Amino acid sequence: MLTLGAAARQLGVSKGTISKAIASGKLSATRREDGSWAIDGAELARYVEVNGHRFRSDTVAGERPDTPDEVAELRARADLA
């Protein structure tokens, strides 16, 4: 399980972006007792597969998953976290 901050770092986006995705229902997460979010690595990878086009830009090329192999690598890293 990843924190909101860890998920944001993995995708190279702000915590606000992840928070909005959770609030809109585009990304599933569970609320912990302390009020923080717990995001499953597989769910984060699914979110990237569906919404990956939103994370691509010319200025950060190569930092975000573009291919199925890169998405699989993200899943594997998330599972280890």
Side-chain angles (χ1 to χ4, degrees):
M1 297 300 260
L2 301 165
T3 64
L4 191 93
R9 278 189 300 279
Q10 282 197 4
L11 298 186
V13 298
S14 71
K15 290 194 292 186
T17 298
I18 301 297
S19 182
K20 287 177 189 176
I22 293 169
S24 69
K26 293 179 182 176
L27 177 63
S28 296
T30 346
R31 195 60 100 157
R32 294 180 176 153
E33 286 186 21
D34 65 1
S36 66
W37 289 106
I39 303 165
D40 184 87
E43 173 61 11
L44 185 64
R46 182 209 58 82
Y47 175 73
V48 169
E49 283 183 47
V50 172
N51 299 286
H53 64 282
R54 296 180 184 193
F55 304 125
R56 292 185 182 95
S57 77
D58 294 336
T59 58
V60 291
E63 291 183 12
R64 297 192 177 85
D66 291 324
T67 67
D69 288 339
E70 290 173 329
V71 171
E73 182 181 337
L74 174 64
R75 274 194 186 131
R77 285 189 286 147
D79 288 343
L80 292 174

